[in-house]
Amino acid sequence: MSSRNPHDLSRRDFFKIVGSFVSGIMGVMLGIPLISYFISPALDEQGGEKWIPAGPLENYPLGKPTLFTFTLTKQHGWEKTSQSYGVYIIRHSDTEVTVFSNVCTHLACRVRWKDELGEFVCPCHDAHFAETGEVISGPAPRPLDKYEYKIEDGILYIHLVEG
Amino acid sequence: MTDKPSRSRLQALYEWLDERLGLTTINKLVLDRKVPKVNWWYTLGSATLFLFILQGITGIFLTVYYVPTPDHAYDSVNYIMQGVRFGWLVRGIHHWGASFMVLFVFLHMLRVFYMGSYKYPRELTWIIGVMLFLLTLGMGFTGYLLPWNQRAYWATTVGTQIAGTPPVIGPWITRILRGGEDISALTLSRFFSMHIWMIPGLMLLLVTVHLYLVIRLGISNPPGKDE
Ligand code: HEM
Ligand code: FES
């Protein structure tokens, strides 16, 4: 205590350093788990892929977009939730169809086929899409998305890929 | 030499803030205050404060996933334990922290009592401390129901029944605590509300006053031989 080299660490400075060091370590040890905890569901394996049977092909009229809807139950945390999906199916021939997602490419509202216009119309910000899926007018940045499909024994299957 | 200018800029920033916020004064009053020569028992209040803050942080994070309804409470806790990264850690800290907090508040109270620190002029500090002690127990009582498992359910059955033992008003107390005759969805949601808003809010207020008094009055001298 009595005579001290001026370069020696004072008791006060020693505790300052040790204190900040220990708090820093505790902060990191708590902080990283907390961040990971909060973003956890976003890091979980999302989606997957699935073939959805959409019934016999002959159910779908030639050349006319027809809505097909289905629901899937998914586990979200502690709850099973049903999610509805809608696709527009246009049969061109016995081997060829187009399957459009009804999700607007603007901000994900659901588009509807308007027979009288011959267009898909989105109710949210009035995007119009042609029967080919191309954007006619409105804010949508790209054509409607298409699903892969296959036809087996006259049954149409849609390839649902998510995530 | 290259790090000189940036240092003085930091210094300047500090001075700018200090002029407006009075940081140096706060620092002097709060951290540089005079403290008698004391021992480790005098750190128990700070340890309790640390636990209180830790409980606050982990508790806030638990509400990210926890749902206080009979049909989801149990499953949401399960999900925290099994499905969320570090959920076991966050819940574990909150769980053990609760027990430690009761322990530390009690030990802190014992040291204050043993050292006679509750005497003039610190009676108010003591009274507020008693309230904090009771509220800490209240946190434990209300928190215990939230996982909505068998143990929680029956502990609350017993606890609210005990609260109903005083004559005349007893049954009323039980009904108010339960939100009706039975332990139900109403009990769960009111315990949740008390556990995350009412009691901690009150405690925050009281801890602030408690610490203000500790700083204003200074720490008491340990009693000497000649007293
Ligand atoms: C949430 C709970 C509490 C917190 C965060 C807390 C915090 C503190 C802190 C940091 C101090 C400084 C001195 C020390 O650490 O020993 C203190 C002093 C004091 N506490 Fe508490 N305390 C709490 C509960 C209590 C309880 C339950 C009592 C008694 C019933 C109490 C009575 C006192 C008294 C009288 C002092 C002044 C001691 C002195 O000046 O020597 N406190 N408290
Ligand atoms: S979401 Fe369809 S137009 Fe905006």
Coordinates of all heavy atoms in Angstrom, one line a residue, chain A residues 104 106-109 122 124-127 139, ligand 2:
Chain A
C104 N -50.7 -13.7 -56.0 CA -50.3 -12.5 -56.8 C -48.8 -12.3 -56.6 O -48.3 -12.4 -55.5 CB -51.1 -11.3 -56.3 SG -50.7 -9.8 -57.3
H106 N -47.4 -9.6 -56.9 CA -47.1 -8.3 -56.3 C -46.8 -8.5 -54.8 O -45.7 -8.6 -54.4 CB -48.2 -7.3 -56.5 CG -48.0 -5.9 -55.9 ND1 -49.0 -5.2 -55.3 CD2 -46.9 -5.2 -55.9 CE1 -48.5 -4.1 -54.9 NE2 -47.2 -4.0 -55.2
L107 N -47.9 -8.6 -54.0 CA -47.7 -8.7 -52.5 C -48.5 -9.8 -52.0 O -49.0 -9.8 -50.8 CB -48.0 -7.4 -51.8 CG -47.0 -6.3 -52.1 CD1 -47.5 -4.9 -51.6 CD2 -45.6 -6.6 -51.6
A108 N -48.7 -10.9 -52.8 CA -49.3 -12.2 -52.2 C -50.7 -12.2 -51.9 O -51.2 -13.0 -51.1 CB -48.4 -12.7 -51.1
C109 N -51.6 -11.3 -52.4 CA -53.0 -11.5 -52.3 C -53.3 -12.6 -53.3 O -52.5 -13.1 -54.0 CB -53.8 -10.2 -52.6 SG -53.6 -8.9 -51.4
C122 N -56.3 -9.2 -59.5 CA -56.0 -9.2 -58.1 C -56.8 -8.1 -57.4 O -56.8 -7.0 -57.8 CB -54.5 -9.0 -57.8 SG -54.1 -9.0 -56.1
C124 N -56.4 -6.7 -54.5 CA -55.7 -5.8 -53.6 C -55.2 -4.5 -54.3 O -55.6 -3.4 -53.8 CB -54.5 -6.5 -53.0 SG -55.1 -7.8 -51.8
H125 N -54.4 -4.6 -55.4 CA -54.0 -3.4 -56.0 C -54.2 -3.4 -57.5 O -53.5 -2.8 -58.3 CB -52.5 -3.1 -55.7 CG -52.2 -3.3 -54.2 ND1 -51.6 -4.5 -53.8 CD2 -52.4 -2.6 -53.1 CE1 -51.4 -4.5 -52.5 NE2 -51.9 -3.3 -52.1
D126 N -55.2 -4.2 -57.9 CA -55.7 -4.2 -59.2 C -54.7 -4.7 -60.3 O -54.6 -4.1 -61.4 CB -56.3 -2.9 -59.6 CG -57.3 -3.0 -60.7 OD1 -58.0 -4.0 -60.8 OD2 -57.4 -2.0 -61.5
A127 N -53.9 -5.7 -60.0 CA -53.1 -6.2 -61.0 C -53.9 -7.1 -61.9 O -54.8 -7.8 -61.5 CB -51.9 -7.1 -60.4
P139 N -49.4 -3.3 -60.7 CA -48.0 -3.3 -60.0 C -47.3 -4.6 -60.0 O -46.1 -4.6 -59.5 CB -48.3 -2.8 -58.6 CG -49.7 -3.4 -58.3 CD -50.4 -3.4 -59.6
Ligands
FES2 S1 -51.1 -8.0 -54.1 FE1 -52.0 -8.3 -56.0 S2 -51.9 -6.3 -56.8 FE2 -50.9 -6.0 -54.9

